């Protein structure tokens, strides 16, 4: 088969690396672990396990991170769990019918290697709202995906995860019971969550910032997502490097990073490096 190789579960990603989303983690674990690891619980009570979970929210809020952590934790909790990750638009192909074929192969492989998680990142790119105006191929991909989801054995150990920034752009049929029947809306982090995320991305420094500094920074970073906070921490370390190794920088400042991308200029974690 010419399907892309199985995505290895990255065991280094754990729930400890995720800040400010603890209220989602337990609920998500239930939805993913129970059907994967304890399917008999559902069968013996004559209920159908949840089939798919949609993670919705602005970019950089940890949706991909949480999917990876779930796969890694599921593997640690019990038997080996196969993890397949696909980016929505990457599945599309210029060859008519090729995307549908790849999807079929993917579902077959996931069932063969169950328990499995199939994660569609940016699923809006793969399964946009169907319309007569839209290209026929796109509509056909959505129909194929729906048929494949419906075709999964209700007792099979395959869980689907999807992530999107634009939940309204996804075909509504995908959000019906038996398909992506659960949704989680990830918000931008609040102040406390921002402090937690700053802590996660700076706690392994030689001289991590004090709690006061993290709280002060968190309070001033209104509107930052997790990815922005990570970038801020990276920038802070680069600045500390810059102070310590000025010889790296040429006089015309060729190597200086564009700090606009970080947006907060006034803070330096100069203590980052000894
Ligand atoms: P996109 O919609 O752009 O794919 P996303 O919600 O999937 O965004 P991630 O890819 O999970 O976001 O986040 C990007 C990076 O930002 C992560 O690898 C992580 O380092 C950092 N990050 C985001 N959210 C958090 C968080 N809640 N805690 C810790 N780090 C975070």
């Amino acid at each position: 088969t010419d399907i892309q190789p199985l995505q290895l579960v990255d065991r280094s990603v754990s729930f400890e690396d995720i800040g400010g989303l603890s209220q989602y983690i337990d609920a998500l674990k239930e939805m993913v672990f129970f059907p994967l690891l304890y399917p008999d619980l559902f069968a013996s009570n004559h209920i159908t396990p949840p089939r798919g979970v949609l993670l919705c929210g602005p970019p950089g809020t940890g949706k991909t991170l949480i999917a990876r952590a779930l796969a890694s934790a599921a593997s640690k909790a019990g038997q080996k769990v196969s993890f397949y990750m696909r980016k929505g638009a990457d599945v599309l192909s210029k060859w008519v019918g090729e995307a549908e074929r790849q999807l079929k192969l993917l579902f077959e492989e996931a069932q063969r290697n169950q328990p499995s998680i199939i994660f569609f990142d940016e699923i809006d790119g793969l399964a946009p709202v169907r319309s007569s105006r839209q290209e026929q191929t796109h509509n056909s991909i959505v129909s194929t995906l729906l048929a494949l989801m419906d075709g999964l054995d209700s007792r099979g150990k395959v869980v689907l995860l999807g992530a999107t920034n634009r939940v309204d752009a996804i075909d509504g049929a995908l959000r019906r019971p038996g398909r992506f029947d659960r949704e989680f809306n990830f918000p931008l982090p609040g102040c406390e969550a921002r402090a937690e995320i700053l802590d996660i991305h700076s706690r392994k420094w030689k001289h991590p910032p004090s709690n006061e500094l993290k709280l002060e920074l968190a309070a001033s970073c209104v509107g930052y997502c997790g990815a922005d906070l990570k970038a801020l921490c990276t920038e802070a370390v680069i600045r500390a490097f810059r102070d310590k190794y000025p010889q790296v920088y040429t006089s015309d400042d060729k190597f200086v990073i564009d700090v606009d991308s970080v947006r907060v200029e006034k803070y330096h974690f100069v203590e980052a490096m000894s």
Side-chain angles (χ1 to χ4, degrees):
T1 144
D2 55 357
I3 195 166
Q4 292 172 37
L6 178 67
Q7 192 95 28
L8 288 178
V9 174
D10 180 357
R11 283 171 184 261
S12 65
V13 184
S14 85
F15 292 120
E16 316 255 284
D17 302 320
I18 304 174
L21 294 174
S22 51
Q23 74 273 36
Y24 297 92
I25 289 174
D26 284 342
L28 272 166
K29 270 186 181 164
E30 263 174 37
M31 261 169 233
V32 174
F33 289 12
F34 283 162
L36 286 185
L37 307 176
Y38 315 106
D40 294 346
L41 284 180
F42 293 93
S44 58
N45 289 289
H46 299 277
I47 52 169
T48 316
R51 171 61 71 209
V53 182
L54 211 48
L55 313 173
C56 320
T61 44
K63 301 184 294 295
T64 308
L65 194 63
I66 223 167
R68 287 181 173 282
L70 279 166
S72 146
S75 270
K76 279 180 198 155
Q79 35 192 319
K80 186 178 152 291
V81 173
S82 312
F83 183 58
Y84 300 86
M85 180 167 157
R86 294 288 183 276
K87 261 212 169 114
D90 290 352
V91 179
L92 303 182
S93 159
K94 57 185 170 170
W95 309 111
V96 177
E98 178 60 15
E100 290 87 335
R101 203 178 69 86
Q102 287 290 333
L103 281 174
K104 280 184 197 136
L105 286 173
L106 172 65
F107 273 71
E108 275 167 25
E109 175 125 343
Q111 285 180 91
R112 214 171 22 249
N113 294 319
Q114 57 183 302
S116 306
I117 297 175
I118 304 180
F119 174 46
F120 288 110
D121 205 358
E122 299 169 18
I123 192 169
D124 42 285
L126 177 69
V129 181
R130 282 172 295 180
S131 75
S132 51
R133 274 176 294 126
Q134 213 145 29
E135 283 177 59
Q136 194 54 40
T137 47
H138 240 124
N139 295 346
S140 142
I141 290 167
V142 178
S143 317
T144 304
L145 186 58
L146 292 174
L148 288 168
M149 291 180 84
D150 293 345
L152 285 173
D153 177 359
S154 67
R155 299 180 63 174
K157 295 179 278 182
V158 178
V159 168
L160 300 166
L161 292 175
T164 180
N165 308 325
R166 302 160 56 229
V167 73
D168 294 336
I170 297 177
D171 194 287
L174 238 78
R175 297 165 69 189
R176 301 233 175 88
R179 294 166 182 171
F180 284 99
D181 39 20
R182 306 295 151 95
E183 287 181 19
F184 284 84
N185 289 301
F186 287 47
L188 279 175
C191 191
E192 220 173 288
R194 291 195 296 271
E196 232 177 88
I197 298 170
L198 284 169
D199 176 67
I200 286 167
H201 292 287
S202 64
R203 66 187 169 203
K204 291 186 185 151
W205 293 356
K206 279 193 183 166
H207 297 281
S210 67
N211 282 339
E212 291 74 49
L213 179 53
K214 278 179 285 193
L215 285 171
E216 191 193 323
L217 258 177
S220 75
C221 291
V222 177
Y224 277 47
C225 65
D228 292 333
L229 294 163
K230 180 187 182 181
L232 178 66
C233 289
T234 306
E235 183 64 17
V237 173
I238 289 169
R239 284 186 183 212
F241 279 152
R242 193 183 297 159
D243 292 344
K244 200 165 158 54
Y245 303 101
Q247 67 275 24
V248 172
Y249 300 92
T250 56
S251 52
D252 59 355
D253 251 0
K254 236 169 146 175
F255 290 94
V256 172
I257 306 289
D258 173 18
V259 286
D260 277 351
S261 62
V262 182
R263 287 191 271 160
V264 166
E265 259 214 84
K266 57 188 170 181
Y267 294 98
H268 294 225
F269 289 174
V270 284
E271 293 283 292
M273 307 301 295
S274 63

